[in-house]
Amino acid sequence: MITLTINGLDVEVEEGTTILEAAKFLGIEIPTLCYNEGLTPYGACRLCIVEIGTGENTKLVSSCTYPAEEGLVVRTHSKRVVNARKMLVELMLARCPGSKTIQDLASKMGITKVRFKVRNDDCILCGLCVRMCKEQMDAKAIGFVNRGYMREVTTPFRLKSDVCRTCGACMYICPACQMRCQGPEPPTVVCNGCLNLSPPCLEIYEDKMCYMDPCVACLKKEAEEEIEKRK
Amino acid sequence: MQEKLKVDRVIDRYEGDKANLISILQDVQREYNWLPQDVLTYIAQKLNLPLIDVFEVATFYKSFSLKPRGRHLITVCLGTACHVRGGQRVLEEIERRINVKPGETSEDKQFTLETVNCLGCCAIGPIVVIDGEYYGQMNTRKVASLLEKYSKKDKD
Amino acid sequence: MAKEKLKKIEDLRRLREKLIEQRAAKKSWVIISSGTCGLARGSGKVIQAFKDVVKKYNLEDKINLRITGCHGFCQAEPNVVISPEGIFYQRIKPEDAEEIVVETVLKRKIIPRLLYVDPQSGERIVYKKDIPFYKKQRRLLLENNLMIDPKNINDYLAIGGYEALSKVFAGMSSEEVIEEIKKSGLRGRGGAGFPTGKKWEACRRAKGDIKYVICNADEGDPGAYMDRSLLEGNPHSILEGMLIGAYAIGASEGFIYVRDEYPLAVENVTIAINQAKEYGLLGKNILGSGFNFEIKINRGAGAFVCGEETALMASIEGRKGEPRQRPPFPAQKGLWGKPTNINNVETWANVPLIISKGADWYSRIGTDKSKGTKIFSLVGKINNTGLVEIPIGMTLREIIYEIGGGIPDNKKFKAVQTGGPSGGCIPKELLDLPVDYETLTKAGSIMGSGGMIVMDEDTCMVDVAKYFLNFLREESCGKCLSCREGIQRMYEIVTDISEGKGKEGDIELLEKLANVVKDASMCGLGQTGANPVLSTIRYFRDEYEAHIKYKRCPAAVCKEIIQYSIDEEKCTGCMACIKACPQGAITGEKKKPHKIDQSKCIKCGVCSEICKFDAIMVE
């Protein structure tokens, strides 16, 4: 058994457990896109990044692929992490504004503008379909072709695949084509239909429900109050 | 079937081991000057690999060409040292003269233009390699006569 | 030349003595530099010319030709060195061969016109050791290139080759070898600078019977060709290094992963492996030690990312070169899941040297934290282009001015780019920086594999950032969103800036985005990919601002915002540019000043290259 510390809380897990799984065990929600419990973790979307280490030598790693280590210190929502996640979602929006999953992520994180040229692509290259086809359906009909900014998901030679059984699993799992978003308006490209303007917990509860999604909005208010108090 | 014997020979040379896929593709490309679809499909079958795996590898590595290539292969070095010495201008001049973009072949199938990110001959940059011959210290003026040399060769 | 297997260390030593004797008997040598750039500059024809002259005058018994790899002074190629004096002739043409043989080799007379001329003093220099380019270097590795014909193992043996291996077999345990490497302070020469001894130790300690060693000869950094030179010129030094490393770690199989763009290196290493096998220096029970070791060569296929350890291993396994998360590290789980130790070519080449001369000797060279020498490829806007081997800790100023001979055409130095696409640009204010791993990282660059590209006032730093971003967006494997999308978007923003379409806030956006790419990407390519942008913004922010605020390119490089025009006072009306212009944009009559039609001009620069009167102005 391995003991690691996440957001100040100790947790004991079996060897081979990832940070993401350990955090889930504690009830901490880390945002993900390309992660699915039934498929091997890939680490492509980088949304699940967390800050590990202490002092000067900290770095960001994808929690879905990083194995728990004895004594590892993890912070899931540090400033560096949250800023990085926001930029990542902005990049995702710039590529696939038509995906409800991505628009929802944007609203949760309070992203209201996209500063890059919009691509209107349907694919975010998360690889869920590729892994689904390979691991669960054992068909291996699609894969990642080319590399770098030319990377795309397709069949061999972009022709109808002999081994594709038209099971539809790839469509089922795809976050970009699952549900079309109803609302992004040009020129901002961001829907913000479900933008959280105030933390829900404080309206209803006396106590702050710290690990509810979206989290840090509540803590932010508390931190601001604390700063005012100390002035 | 005759064609496939060439491929069989290469596969045997590498003991039919799928770990040698890249070397196999390199040697097969040397035989055909490119990697045709049916050849890639055949290799996948012989090595017992999913076709998508072979296709992924063939498109990932830039030294593989999935389109037929011309009689002469022009490679322009775009390494940093060559770039700083004007390599981009040389490339543009070649593009203008034979009317192709990198990765493409001229209409008359004479020239295929490719770029490479450093050949390791930075001292004599900018460099253009045609059919394995290195031409150093290129500039836009030398391009015309260089291309002429190969056009003439074909006519003879 | 059938070789007999050397069954024990004494056999090797006896053979070496014989070879040294044979070599000593030959007094006069003509050493011809013939690596890939030498060949590209015509050394092949020069070699043939010498052979013809030797035959013509029946001098086969008197004159010894040695065809070697790179001598390092690329500017001077094709060059020959006449030994034993060390007379250096540069830029030889085939026609010169006869005169050199007759005058210098036979009569020991110097031919002044073939000598190197120092651009500062105007002096003609006779001996290689006096040439400033060579004088300041400490060529522990490169100098051997002149001593051997890489296609002949006997040469390597004669200069002491495989003696380090014998020393190891004769009385050092694996742990002792690792201790020696640790003591020497050797750090990985591929770029990251990780302590080599520690790396070996981690692999030795890993559980498992099957282990591998790999030589990373992918050398993808554009502008860097040190590894090519070592592999072409002295392949056995790497084989010997790998043998010692494999012994220390407990591996019995090794791989050399050479990039596809180095055919001569592949050829020479293949020959070296075959010749070593013939002597029994590779195979089973090497020199009677009971140790077995085989080496295979894998060729790259055009992917810069395969220089990354885990991508390289994926490539050897026949898959796409997509890096994977570490941990687990290759030392624990590498090739086919087995403990693997990967080192760079130059790192391996240092190993026999350290074992022969001892870690104490080695650790006295260099700085506190970075020991030994490092080979740099000094290229770009520099007078003495070539490979430079210096003790770590020498300053950039010494390298660029004293060894490199300064900037050609009296142009002003602007920046030196180190570390390839993972590195950054260092401005003139930092020229007195000593070159070592830590100082370069603090300055916003990295040591990298050793590429050192000098840039002058005619280089646009925005264009440099654009160049590197374009390189990286193509070479990225594309898996990580931060790397793939981030670098592409940075490229789009910098391109807009270079085309005069930049806007306020672009620089800040670039900085924010660059930092996320750096933080969130999984492998070294993404993590360091932001360095070119960040370092050019750090030191040359004013150039970015000029492009954005005033739509001006101070170095007159960015096509969309510069203009070509003809200086009427300098134009002689020769019509050369009119003929050369591909767009027919220049008009004018003979002997009258010409004019460029801006609406037709595509800024290709052909007119400026052809004009002999310097009449084309660009701004």
Side-chain angles (χ1 to χ4, degrees):
Chain A
M1 295 298 276
I2 299 175
T3 309
L4 63 157
T5 311
I6 305 182
N7 293 353
L9 299 165
D10 283 346
V11 60
E12 211 186 356
V13 294
E14 281 181 11
E15 192 164 345
T17 310
T18 61
I19 298 179
L20 183 67
E21 290 165 338
K24 228 187 235 178
F25 186 73
L26 280 174
I28 300 173
E29 288 273 347
I30 299 175
T32 61
L33 184 71
C34 75
Y35 174 76
N36 185 290
E37 236 179 322
L39 302 170
T40 47
Y42 193 40
C45 71
R46 314 312 292 168
L47 211 47
C48 67
I49 43 175
V50 293
E51 192 164 359
I52 61 171
T54 50
E56 293 238 338
N57 296 329
T58 59
K59 61 177 182 180
L60 302 189
V61 297
S62 51
S63 53
C64 67
T65 53
Y66 202 92
E69 288 168 355
E70 184 65 39
L72 191 64
V73 176
V74 181
R75 290 182 295 152
T76 65
H77 282 80
S78 67
K79 187 154 124 181
R80 194 170 155 199
V81 168
V82 173
N83 279 338
R85 285 195 196 134
K86 279 180 141 160
M87 183 64 83
L88 288 168
V89 174
E90 193 178 336
L91 287 168
M92 289 181 198
L93 273 175
R95 194 186 167 108
C96 305
S99 154
K100 183 174 183 323
T101 315
I102 296 175
Q103 291 285 356
D104 286 355
L105 278 167
S107 290
K108 272 189 207 153
M109 292 190 194
I111 295 167
T112 52
K113 59 178 174 9
V114 171
R115 294 167 286 188
F116 310 111
K117 295 195 183 111
V118 179
R119 263 183 74 142
N120 282 313
D121 209 300
D122 274 337
C123 175
I124 195 62
L125 290 169
C126 65
L128 280 166
C129 56
V130 174
R131 284 174 286 148
M132 185 66 151
C133 185
K134 177 172 169 187
E135 297 170 22
Q136 289 287 337
M137 309 312 293
D138 204 23
K140 304 190 183 112
I142 47 174
F144 284 115
V145 155
N146 288 323
R147 66 170 192 230
Y149 73 106
M150 302 284 286
R151 185 164 154 118
E152 56 173 310
V153 174
T154 186
T155 55
F157 308 103
R158 299 182 183 82
L159 301 170
K160 188 169 186 308
S161 162
D162 284 340
V163 297
C164 170
R165 304 194 298 272
T166 55
C167 66
C170 49
M171 289 196 323
Y172 171 80
I173 201 111
C174 173
C177 63
Q178 258 167 8
M179 269 185 282
R180 291 257 156 240
C181 184
Q182 298 306 311
E185 309 239 338
T188 65
V189 138
V190 193
C191 167
N192 281 166
C194 44
L195 183 68
N196 278 305
L197 297 168
S198 74
C201 47
L202 289 180
E203 312 281 9
I204 310 163
Y205 299 103
E206 283 265 310
D207 295 324
K208 294 176 192 61
M209 313 294 276
C210 283
Y211 296 113
M212 222 154 118
D213 206 358
C215 166
V216 284
C218 330
L219 293 173
K220 187 174 170 222
K221 189 161 175 209
E222 184 188 51
E224 280 171 0
E225 286 172 344
E226 189 63 43
I227 293 171
E228 274 304 315
K229 237 198 271 177
R230 288 188 192 175
K231 266 199 193 154
Chain B
M1 268 321 286
Q2 185 66 5
E3 292 277 294
K4 300 299 188 281
L5 277 177
K6 274 198 237 171
V7 181
D8 284 334
R9 237 177 294 149
V10 172
I11 294 178
D12 287 337
R13 197 182 308 153
Y14 291 101
E15 293 155 15
D17 188 354
K18 49 177 87 143
N20 293 322
L21 176 62
I22 293 170
S23 307
I24 291 171
L25 290 175
Q26 282 167 329
D27 286 4
V28 168
Q29 180 165 274
R30 205 155 294 136
E31 297 277 344
Y32 292 89
N33 201 22
W34 65 298
L35 290 171
Q37 179 182 331
D38 57 325
V39 170
L40 287 173
T41 312
Y42 183 72
I43 292 175
Q45 280 167 7
K46 289 284 299 216
L47 292 179
N48 203 15
L49 281 168
L51 181 56
I52 187 67
D53 284 1
V54 175
F55 189 65
E56 280 186 342
V57 168
T59 55
F60 182 89
Y61 294 99
K62 285 310 147 209
S63 67
F64 296 132
S65 181
L66 272 76
K67 287 188 279 196
R69 298 201 284 198
R71 274 189 299 278
H72 303 292
L73 179 62
I74 305 176
T75 309
V76 179
C77 180
L78 288 184
T80 321
C82 289
H83 176 84
V84 155
R85 287 192 186 179
Q88 187 67 24
R89 293 260 156 94
V90 172
L91 175 66
E92 286 164 7
E93 179 69 11
I94 298 177
E95 285 179 351
R96 267 194 297 272
R97 295 234 166 220
I98 55 176
N99 206 14
V100 268
K101 290 248 163 274
E104 292 171 10
T105 304
S106 59
E107 284 246 13
D108 56 7
K109 305 264 186 290
Q110 202 186 27
F111 292 114
T112 296
L113 178 61
E114 283 178 3
T115 58
V116 74
N117 285 327
C118 196
L119 291 158
C121 296
C122 317
I124 52 174
I127 300 211
V128 173
V129 182
I130 304 187
D131 294 344
E133 289 278 331
Y134 286 64
Y135 298 95
Q137 273 144 335
M138 284 300 293
N139 55 43
T140 49
R141 274 168 295 158
K142 291 185 189 169
V143 170
S145 48
L146 181 59
L147 293 173
E148 255 295 301
K149 186 170 152 186
Y150 285 87
S151 302
K152 262 179 81 189
K153 245 198 220 177
D154 283 347
K155 290 197 188 114
D156 296 333
Chain C
M1 221 197 341
K3 295 185 172 62
E4 260 199 48
K5 263 207 165 61
L6 304 165
K7 300 218 179 80
K8 37 194 191 333
I9 297 176
E10 289 72 49
D11 292 345
L12 171 60
R13 289 184 174 149
R14 230 175 296 129
L15 171 61
R16 185 180 296 115
E17 277 173 24
K18 201 172 84 180
L19 292 170
I20 292 177
E21 240 186 80
Q22 282 175 359
R23 218 171 136 101
K26 301 186 183 167
K27 298 288 177 200
S28 174
W29 289 88
V30 175
I31 306 171
I32 309 173
S33 173
S34 191
T36 300
C37 17
L39 284 166
R41 267 182 119 131
S43 65
K45 297 205 180 97
V46 167
I47 293 169
Q48 192 54 48
F50 271 100
K51 287 193 178 152
D52 292 340
V53 168
V54 165
K55 207 165 173 198
K56 173 172 164 192
Y57 289 90
N58 280 318
L59 293 165
E60 281 95 339
D61 291 333
K62 288 235 186 80
I63 295 186
N64 307 290
L65 293 179
R66 187 187 301 146
I67 297 153
T68 68
C70 258
H71 288 188
F73 195 4
C74 308
Q75 202 69 13
E77 300 232 8
N79 67 277
V80 302
V81 175
I82 316 282
S83 91
E85 297 94 326
I87 300 167
F88 188 89
Y89 287 145
Q90 65 161 9
R91 310 228 177 118
I92 306 294
K93 300 198 185 60
E95 307 83 84
D96 299 326
E98 186 153 7
E99 194 181 344
I100 294 175
V101 169
V102 169
E103 294 295 308
T104 311
V105 183
L106 293 177
K107 297 193 205 153
R108 275 13 237 188
K109 271 169 58 173
I110 312 287
I111 307 169
R113 70 181 171 80
L114 296 175
L115 291 175
Y116 171 77
V117 179
D118 186 323
Q120 324 277 48
S121 64
E123 218 190 304
R124 283 187 196 278
I125 302 183
V126 179
Y127 302 106
K128 175 172 160 292
K129 61 178 171 62
D130 295 325
I131 297 177
F133 177 79
Y134 285 117
K135 225 157 96 162
K136 292 226 130 197
Q137 293 186 44
R138 184 122 191 227
R139 293 162 53 93
L140 301 176
L141 296 174
L142 282 179
E143 196 61 17
N144 285 331
N145 275 18
L146 277 94
M147 312 292 191
I148 60 180
D149 171 356
K151 293 178 163 67
N152 184 358
I153 188 176
N154 287 341
D155 275 6
Y156 184 69
L157 291 175
I159 61 163
Y162 292 105
E163 179 51 35
L165 182 67
S166 310
K167 189 171 167 186
V168 165
F169 284 160
M172 288 176 84
S173 69
S174 307
E175 282 75 17
E176 283 168 335
V177 174
I178 295 179
E179 267 316 299
E180 194 70 0
I181 300 294
K182 275 170 87 175
K183 231 179 16 170
S184 73
L186 177 65
R187 288 168 74 167
R189 295 286 191 255
F194 191 83
T196 308
K198 250 172 125 175
K199 210 177 194 183
W200 287 18
E201 192 172 55
C203 196
R204 169 141 200 99
R205 294 217 177 121
K207 297 195 196 85
D209 287 327
I210 300 177
K211 296 184 184 172
Y212 299 109
V213 290
I214 299 180
C215 171
N216 185 344
D218 195 51
E219 198 165 53
D221 284 356
Y225 56 103
M226 304 70 57
D227 293 348
R228 170 174 74 66
S229 189
L230 285 171
L231 283 171
E232 285 177 356
N234 193 353
H236 284 283
S237 61
I238 284 100
L239 299 184
E240 193 177 357
M242 287 176 77
L243 270 158
I244 295 172
Y247 173 82
I249 288 162
S252 56
E253 223 181 312
F255 296 85
I256 303 182
Y257 187 92
V258 190
R259 63 195 296 249
D260 198 33
E261 292 85 342
Y262 287 171
L264 184 59
V266 173
E267 187 187 327
N268 287 0
V269 176
T270 309
I271 293 173
I273 291 177
N274 289 335
Q275 292 184 342
K277 266 199 219 162
E278 283 176 4
Y279 271 142
L281 291 163
L282 282 173
K284 301 220 184 307
N285 193 13
I286 299 170
L287 293 178
S289 62
F291 177 63
N292 309 334
F293 189 57
E294 301 270 0
I295 298 186
K296 276 207 205 99
I297 298 179
N298 275 75
R299 286 190 338 267
F304 169 77
V305 70
C306 284
E308 198 275 346
E309 290 185 334
T310 58
L312 194 155
M313 294 190 297
S315 190
I316 295 182
E317 293 175 6
R319 299 182 286 118
K320 313 199 291 289
E322 243 182 50
R324 62 155 173 80
Q325 172 96 355
R326 295 175 298 170
F329 288 89
Q332 274 83 39
K333 261 204 165 108
L335 203 52
W336 292 296
K338 310 282 184 225
T340 306
N341 180 74
I342 307 185
N343 276 127
N344 167 268
V345 170
E346 199 181 331
T347 315
W348 287 121
N350 269 291
V351 170
L353 184 67
I354 293 172
I355 300 293
S356 303
K357 294 239 173 112
D360 284 329
W361 169 85
Y362 192 82
S363 62
R364 269 179 253 139
I365 306 165
T367 65
D368 254 359
K369 296 211 182 111
S370 314
K371 304 289 182 194
T373 60
K374 175 86 191 79
I375 306 176
F376 291 94
S377 62
L378 195 56
V379 293
K381 302 291 186 76
I382 190 94
N383 272 319
N384 296 336
T385 319
L387 292 174
V388 175
E389 186 176 350
I390 48 133
I392 299 182
M394 195 181 264
T395 67
L396 286 166
R397 192 185 296 277
E398 286 176 87
I399 299 172
I400 293 171
Y401 288 98
E402 293 179 40
I403 300 179
I407 320 294
D409 299 331
N410 273 317
K411 298 270 183 183
K412 289 201 281 265
F413 171 86
K414 191 167 195 182
V416 60
Q417 209 277 345
T418 68
S422 308
C425 297
I426 299 180
K428 64 179 186 301
E429 292 77 40
L430 296 175
L431 269 175
D432 291 304
L433 206 64
V435 170
D436 85 28
Y437 291 95
E438 277 72 33
T439 53
L440 287 174
T441 308
K442 250 209 260 175
S445 181
I446 60 170
M447 173 93 90
S449 60
M452 221 179 238
I453 300 157
V454 182
M455 300 172 177
D456 68 7
E457 57 192 82
D458 291 336
T459 314
C460 170
M461 301 317 282
V462 175
D463 182 66
V464 167
K466 184 168 109 171
Y467 168 84
F468 280 118
L469 287 169
N470 187 37
F471 177 88
L472 289 166
R473 74 178 179 144
E474 285 181 352
E475 296 292 342
S476 160
C477 77
K479 174 164 126 172
C480 295
L481 196 106
S482 51
C483 174
R484 182 190 69 239
E485 301 290 325
I487 293 179
Q488 168 64 17
R489 297 308 187 163
M490 285 199 282
Y491 174 76
E492 286 173 6
I493 298 172
V494 175
T495 302
D496 275 352
I497 294 177
S498 81
E499 291 177 357
K501 298 188 200 143
K503 42 192 196 300
E504 279 299 320
D506 272 354
I507 301 179
E508 289 72 22
L509 180 58
L510 270 176
E511 284 176 315
K512 278 211 175 84
L513 183 51
N515 279 307
V516 172
V517 173
K518 192 171 175 173
D519 273 351
S521 300
M522 186 188 72
C523 83
L525 192 151
Q527 286 160 1
T528 59
N531 284 352
V533 169
L534 286 173
S535 77
T536 48
I537 291 179
R538 177 172 168 180
Y539 297 116
F540 300 97
R541 201 184 186 103
D542 53 313
E543 270 189 66
Y544 279 88
E545 286 174 348
H547 283 73
I548 295 174
K549 288 200 191 126
Y550 311 115
K551 314 287 184 231
R552 263 197 71 231
C553 176
V557 168
C558 297
K559 277 198 343 199
E560 285 75 6
I561 52 176
I562 54 173
Q563 204 177 65
Y564 279 77
S565 56
I566 296 179
D567 184 343
E568 307 213 328
E569 306 201 346
K570 290 200 184 142
C571 177
T572 60
C574 72
M575 300 190 74
C577 58
I578 297 183
K579 289 189 205 129
C581 177
Q583 303 297 105
I586 311 182
T587 48
E589 296 158 21
K590 241 189 192 164
K591 306 265 175 100
K592 292 218 176 95
H594 302 327
K595 203 165 157 150
I596 298 178
D597 180 350
Q598 295 302 331
S599 64
K600 291 198 183 143
C601 176
I602 56 168
K603 331 277 174 63
C604 68
V606 176
C607 56
S608 142
E609 279 190 23
I610 217 166
C611 178
K612 293 200 191 96
F613 305 100
D614 211 20
I616 309 279
M617 300 189 296
V618 195
E619 54 203 351

